[in-house]
Amino acid sequence: MSTPFPFTAVVGQDDLRLALLLNAVSPAVGGVLVRGEKGTAKSTAVRALSALMPALDVVVGCRFSCDPDSPDPACPDGPHEPGAFETRPARMVELPVGASEDRLVGALDIERALAEGVKAFEPGLLADAHRGILYVDEVNLLHDHLVDLLLDAAAMGASYVEREGVSVRHAARFLLVGTMNPEEGELRPQLLDRFGLTVEVAASREPDQRVEVVRRRLAHDDDPAAFAERWADEEAAVRARIVAARALLPSVRLGDGALRQIAATCAAFEVDGMRADIVMARTATALAAWAGRTDVVAEDVRQAALLALPHRRRRSPFDAPGLDEDKLDETLEEFGGRDDTGPDDAGAGRDGDLSEDDRGDDGPDDDGPGGGGGRPAPDAGPDGGDTGARPEAGQDGEPQPSGASERSAVRAAEPFRTKALSVPGIGEGAAGRRSRARTEHGRTTGARRPRGALTKLHLAATVQAAAPHQRARGRSGPGLVVRRDDLRQATREGREGNLVLFVVDASGSMAARQRMSAVKGAVLSLLLDAYQRRDKVGLVTFRGAAAELALPPTSSVDAAAVRLESLPTGGRTPLAAGLLKAHDVLRVERLRDPARRALVVVVTDGRATGGPEPVALAGRAARLFAADGVACVVVDCESGPVRLGLAGQLAGELGGAAVTLEELRADSIAGLVKDVQGTSRRAA
């Protein structure tokens, strides 16, 4: 067995270590979500925590880790007789992102059911994690069906299995720890709220600290046992402190003054529901116990807010979690001074704390509603045109910059809710919420003979296939005689995530400020939709003389929003270059992820300028998409009293449908989906 990196040897990351230790002291805090860039010791610190958890007394032979002092009366291995128990270390169970539902919650023991004719339950990872740690690396990539099961277990403290003739309930109380890289996509709000605390981590920019990180990592890799021995005393001290804090925890008093500060803080930051108040109260109590005190002081409340509220405050999906510490201090000061627990000694709250200071790691707070964004250009008229600009030939009368001039980025208009665009047919891509697909998880639609390894047994179909042959096979006992040819694979249908590739016209013909603001608002709305449906997104822009892959396909929708916000405009309209760049991106992505289908959203007024025969070249490029059967939508951005209908012509060449910016907001977008599907079927 490999020797884990010692918890106390982790360099820096004070907030991360403190959050993990508070959960070790009080598992009722509700777990930790660790957000940060790759290579910041997220997984190392979590795995090291399990070595510090106090050992457990469990009933001998119980697969569900029942406490001998208070065994679960509904335990499937019960009832348990008093007396026999054993002591073992607390477990850290790791949930793989690609785990099956059966592996998580357990299922019927198929082997015993078929061989012995009995119904027996085979426990899953939730049973293994009871009274221990359930760790999910890259939790933001976890499939939705597993997220739903985790939510149920976290809410009820138990796992219920009702399937394949098995009805089982067992306790499942665990410390939920997840790590994620925000660049790869965000979490569903329901799961995000289930994590008691959240911590932002980043690599240190201090050379001395980085040197120490490398030194310790190399020393551990060279001789793990010797390195662990060097830190044994520190590990033992922290382990003893956890035990002492757990013993002290029931004696910690949370006074009315501290409760008022907690309630006022949650109200000030407009968090939803009451879970934040409860988590803050439990965290402040654990902080006091960790510091060896029996009273909660104002500094405990402040630290609890920094850990429990950043991921719960109301924010746009593209806003990073964070907390305005000035506002927090003002709220605590306003509602402080009335605590009946004694003097408000801020310094006492830091006694023995692993943190070196009181700051959060979230960086500067955002500007709140209406803050940030692009700056308006000087001398802009009502339509965003500026004095002296020459209209480009063939345009609809809007003043535009001449040549390759460039305008600064404008801020996107407010996003709006859109209805779903979907790719026609049935795919086999990664689980998501956009288009129909054959998936490993979803509603069962039938059975078939397995091609390759059997992954999802259709029990009824298997029994039905084997039943007529029992006499010929000489069956004599209760078990069913099953051969390989009898096995049937369950076919299931769910939803998949797609690659939504945005191809955005940033040329001079789109440069009117109001129009470009509306265009960005529309694209931002579609990005929000992609975020909710767990798609990958990419962004291609074209302007001047060429096209650019502004954002390679990624699961980080917020990264696309950032690139969109800073997008400048100006120059000619190389539409063909934009389409060819998008076609090349799709070609590469098909090699990387052949199962993920694409939806191309072209945002343009349909004009093509620059170079020889730009319109004909754009038409030839568009027909490449139609030939490949790629689902395409053109968002028509043409405005003004005279409209040329070029975007509609482009949609026809692409084999897709066109929709105006106004129609994108309306119910008629449902008709657009039908048009996309119908056109794609005709192309196929």
Side-chain angles (χ1 to χ4, degrees), residues 141-417:
L141 304 181
L142 198 65
H143 292 310
D144 282 350
H145 70 285
L146 298 182
V147 170
D148 294 336
L149 294 170
L150 276 181
L151 290 175
D152 291 341
M156 298 182 290
S159 176
Y160 292 83
V161 183
E162 300 282 349
R163 55 192 304 174
E164 297 165 342
V166 174
S167 179
V168 173
R169 176 261 179 213
H170 65 82
R173 293 183 296 274
F174 46 81
L175 168 57
L176 179 61
V177 181
T179 58
M180 61 175 283
N181 183 349
E183 294 180 358
E184 296 173 342
E186 288 288 350
L187 272 180
R188 283 173 57 183
Q190 295 92 332
L191 182 57
L192 189 64
D193 189 52
R194 287 295 177 187
F195 285 98
L197 310 179
T198 186
V199 177
E200 294 279 340
V201 297
S204 172
R205 298 297 182 258
E206 293 292 331
D208 290 343
Q209 194 171 75
R210 296 175 74 96
V211 166
E212 187 61 24
V213 169
V214 175
R215 182 181 290 119
R216 294 185 187 183
R217 183 76 254 180
L218 293 178
H220 175 267
D221 292 345
D222 289 342
D223 192 343
F227 186 80
E229 182 63 27
R230 284 173 47 196
W231 292 89
D233 291 343
E234 288 83 350
E235 293 281 287
V238 173
R239 192 179 297 111
R241 187 173 174 185
I242 292 173
V243 173
R246 282 190 172 188
L248 183 63
L249 188 65
S251 303
V252 175
R253 191 166 69 95
L254 183 65
D256 290 341
L259 278 173
R260 279 194 295 269
Q261 287 183 316
I262 290 171
T265 301
C266 292
F269 286 97
E270 298 181 330
V271 298
D272 294 325
M274 295 297 298
R275 184 175 284 116
D277 303 63
I278 296 170
V279 171
M280 272 191 66
R282 289 171 174 167
T283 305
T285 303
L287 280 162
W290 178 250
R293 289 182 277 99
T294 56
D295 288 321
V296 173
V297 298
E299 185 56 30
D300 296 328
V301 176
R302 186 183 192 280
Q303 185 67 45
L306 291 174
L307 294 172
L309 295 188
H311 61 304
R312 290 188 167 90
R313 68 175 180 84
R314 290 186 180 179
R315 60 188 178 92
S316 163
F318 298 143
D319 290 341
L323 217 59
D324 184 341
E325 294 193 37
D326 291 336
K327 181 178 179 180
L328 173 61
D329 291 336
E330 290 173 4
T331 304
L332 293 176
E333 183 177 355
E334 179 181 355
F335 289 88
R338 294 176 287 174
D339 196 327
D340 57 9
T341 62
D344 184 356
D345 183 4
R350 309 304 295 179
D351 181 29
D353 200 333
L354 285 176
S355 298
E356 295 178 357
D357 53 42
D358 296 337
R359 55 170 171 73
D361 286 338
D362 298 309
D365 182 64
D366 59 31
D367 294 327
R375 294 173 298 173
D379 303 324
D383 64 349
D386 55 32
T387 307
R390 270 194 308 114
E392 200 172 282
Q395 295 181 11
D396 54 14
E398 292 179 349
Q400 305 296 339
S402 61
S405 62
E406 179 178 302
R407 291 172 182 253
S408 61
V410 298
R411 188 178 181 186
E414 284 298 317
F416 51 86
R417 192 172 188 84

Side-chain angles (χ1 to χ4, degrees), residues 388-445:
R390 270 194 308 114
E392 200 172 282
Q395 295 181 11
D396 54 14
E398 292 179 349
Q400 305 296 339
S402 61
S405 62
E406 179 178 302
R407 291 172 182 253
S408 61
V410 298
R411 188 178 181 186
E414 284 298 317
F416 51 86
R417 192 172 188 84
T418 68
K419 292 185 179 179
L421 299 171
S422 64
V423 178
I426 301 180
E428 296 183 351
R433 299 180 188 170
R434 183 171 296 277
S435 305
R436 293 175 57 200
R438 297 183 187 92
T439 61
E440 288 293 318
H441 315 283
R443 63 185 182 91
T444 300
T445 57

Side-chain angles (χ1 to χ4, degrees), residues 513-571:
R513 298 191 67 84
Q514 286 185 349
R515 188 203 295 188
M516 198 60 199
S517 178
V519 167
K520 286 187 175 182
V523 178
L524 188 62
S525 302
L526 292 169
L527 282 171
L528 281 166
D529 182 67
Y531 163 80
Q532 294 162 352
R533 298 182 187 280
R534 304 184 76 82
D535 294 314
K536 289 180 70 174
V537 297
L539 179 62
V540 171
T541 64
F542 57 94
R543 53 183 288 274
E548 174 190 5
L549 179 58
L551 182 71
T554 175
S555 296
S556 179
V557 177
D558 55 343
V562 171
R563 302 292 174 88
L564 177 72
E565 190 72 23
S566 60
L567 178 66
T569 58

